[in-house]
Amino acid sequence: MSSAAAVLRLMASVSSSLSIKHGRSLWRPRSQIYRPSRSFVVASSSSFANENREFVIVGGGNAAGYAARTFVEHGMANGKLCIVSKEAYAPYERPALTKAYLFPPDKKPARLPGFHTCVGSGGERQTPEWYKQQGIEMLHEDPVTGIDMEKQTLTTNSGKLLKYGSLIVATGCTASRFPEKIGGNLPGVHYIRDVADADSLISSLEKAQKVVVVGGGYIGMEVAAATVGWKLDTTVIFPEEHLLQKLFTPSLAQKYEELYKENGVNLLKGVSIKNIEAGSDGRVAAVKLEDGSTIEADTIIIGIGAKPAVGPFHKVGLSTTVGGIQVDGQFRTGVPGIFAIGDVAAFPLKMYDRIARVEHVDHARRSAQHCIKSLLTVQTHAYDYLPHFYSRVFEYEGSPRKVWWQFYGDNVGEIVEIGSFDPKIVSFWIESGKLKGEFQLLPKLARSQPVIDKAKLQNASSVEEALQIAQTSLQEDYLVLPYSENQNLFLLCMVFPD
């Protein structure tokens, strides 16, 4: 292939405001696998007669659940593994909380134990009984508040002291909140990160009439789609020029916005909030905008992003570019025997040569599996992640149109858009002829990076024809054509109706 021909990297679908936080760094992964110099092996039972745990996972989300499964698959869980969590439940598929969990009672909402990990990827449902059967110690509602790295001990909120051999930090993120002084903690204001948050919101929705969603990202738009199912007056407020600005093109966003308007959602774009106002009963009553206008609301959901839940583990070493705990391609921190996975980990995004934090379930699952395999086996290759985001909206019974979008890769460069969202649409991002984004075929394109005929792609009359052109380019990558006729595609974004 000529040097002028670029690579086809494919990223597919749409992942609302879910962002890859990135920055450049000269830091590179260490080449050797670390094996703990000290570990504490206990009897093969779940009783844990002493305070020594060979492996401790801190956190109770997706990453913890998939890490536990990987320990079990390698025969290293029974009597050896402890999970410490602030959650009241065994690890579950967190994306359900802004999707099916919020469906109204007559629309078959999701409930535990239905979405414990690892059902989201087609795996076994790991109920509390499963953890007992596997000999895994579970410490619920007792978050870790301190760490002594020299003594290899953790202190929990209840005062429990845990000694570990290897430690896996899987604490995820916390929701970004409005300051209390502008009404961020008023009754009726909600944030969603766990089951308790979602239950509190559902309690409000049962009595609500006017709902305001703050944030035009994927969390905000999933919640807005759910409130439509409750037949509530819903307004979405965000400061950007269009929805999902970090991922969507203006054209794609316009079509997505029309979908919401057709479902009765009011969109207020490019506006800022001054404060949230309370009524005489102390509950939220309205949102006051910077221009002085007010929007009545009895329930407000704020989805303006998240922050890595570093807590006491800041001592381990943080990324100065993207936040979170800095790790290498094996998810090892700078402290021997301590690892970090999922949303909280700042890792080398190998294919794009930068340090990244990815706040999405796909990375949570894959990073957990890669880390534990590296810890327990001779696996030495670095994590090579292809960014993948997705969202599903209006999926409840009776919805006139159910939409699912997927996104793979990176979104930079010139845009080629095919289709009209009736019923499908696909967007390609092209930089120096490289495809950076793309559903089965899409990940293959993103990694293989074949040369593509840009003019031919632009003239495609349908999404299916565009994908056929991309697939052909994958099969005929050995052909060398003039640079003026061939471009490397960067990102592909697809929106599908269910």
Side-chain angles (χ1 to χ4, degrees), residues 178-412:
F178 270 21
E180 183 175 4
K181 65 181 180 181
I182 66 168
N185 293 336
L186 286 174
V189 176
H190 298 270
Y191 307 84
I192 302 182
R193 291 302 297 183
D194 57 31
V195 168
D197 292 337
D199 285 343
S200 177
L201 173 56
I202 290 169
S203 179
S204 288
L205 293 178
E206 290 171 347
K207 303 180 289 288
Q209 293 182 346
K210 294 181 180 294
V211 174
V212 167
V213 177
V214 180
Y218 85 100
I219 292 294
M221 301 321 296
E222 288 180 357
V223 172
T227 61
V228 169
W230 290 76
K231 296 180 171 56
L232 299 174
D233 182 329
T234 302
T235 299
V236 180
I237 302 174
F238 51 96
E240 296 84 9
E241 295 179 358
H242 61 75
L243 291 176
L244 305 168
Q245 188 156 316
K246 294 180 180 179
L247 288 180
F248 281 31
T249 65
S251 174
L252 183 57
Q254 181 181 4
K255 295 177 177 62
Y256 205 54
E257 290 169 7
E258 287 299 324
L259 171 69
Y260 277 81
K261 291 177 182 178
E262 290 169 3
N263 280 276
V265 177
N266 305 307
L267 301 177
L268 293 183
K269 302 185 286 185
V271 300
S272 298
I273 294 174
K274 183 176 182 179
N275 63 276
I276 299 173
E277 299 181 339
S280 58
D281 61 354
R283 287 184 58 83
V284 62
V287 174
K288 187 171 184 178
L289 305 181
E290 287 288 356
D291 63 8
S293 61
T294 59
I295 309 298
E296 291 185 5
D298 49 43
T299 299
I300 296 177
I301 304 97
I302 297 178
I304 55 173
K307 299 179 293 185
V310 174
F313 303 107
H314 64 87
K315 300 176 183 179
V316 174
L318 304 181
S319 167
T320 58
T321 54
V322 299
I325 299 171
Q326 184 70 67
V327 298
D328 65 8
Q330 307 284 349
F331 294 96
R332 299 169 294 195
T333 70
V335 179
I338 301 180
F339 304 75
I341 57 177
D343 294 6
V344 77
F347 66 98
L349 189 57
K350 184 177 178 180
M351 69 181 298
Y352 299 133
D353 190 29
R354 65 177 183 243
I355 300 300
R357 266 198 326 105
V358 176
E359 298 171 6
H360 198 264
V361 62
D362 182 66
H363 164 65
R365 295 166 178 164
R366 294 179 185 273
S367 64
Q369 293 164 335
H370 189 95
C371 173
I372 305 309
K373 287 179 182 178
S374 296
L375 172 63
L376 300 179
T377 72
V378 295
Q379 173 178 286
T380 59
H381 66 274
Y383 187 57
D384 189 8
Y385 184 64
L386 172 66
H388 171 215
F389 309 128
Y390 71 89
S391 185
R392 303 195 305 269
V393 294
F394 301 108
E395 286 198 305
Y396 42 80
E397 289 185 356
S399 173
R401 187 177 188 190
K402 302 173 184 179
V403 174
W404 179 18
W405 52 256
Q406 300 239 20
F407 176 100
Y408 291 89
D410 206 0
N411 56 342
V412 294

Side-chain angles (χ1 to χ4, degrees), residues 50-53 139 142 146-148 151-164:
N50 57 52
E51 294 303 313
N52 294 340
R53 277 81 177 169
L139 301 179
D142 197 10
I147 179 173
D148 187 323
K151 295 180 179 180
Q152 292 183 258
T153 57
L154 301 172
T155 303
T156 71
N157 188 60
S158 68
K160 189 180 296 293
L161 189 68
L162 306 175
K163 197 169 184 67
Y164 63 85

Side-chain angles (χ1 to χ4, degrees), residues 36-41 53-54 152 164-166:
S37 58
R38 294 174 288 171
S39 64
F40 302 89
V41 183
R53 277 81 177 169
E54 187 166 358
Q152 292 183 258
Y164 63 85
S166 294

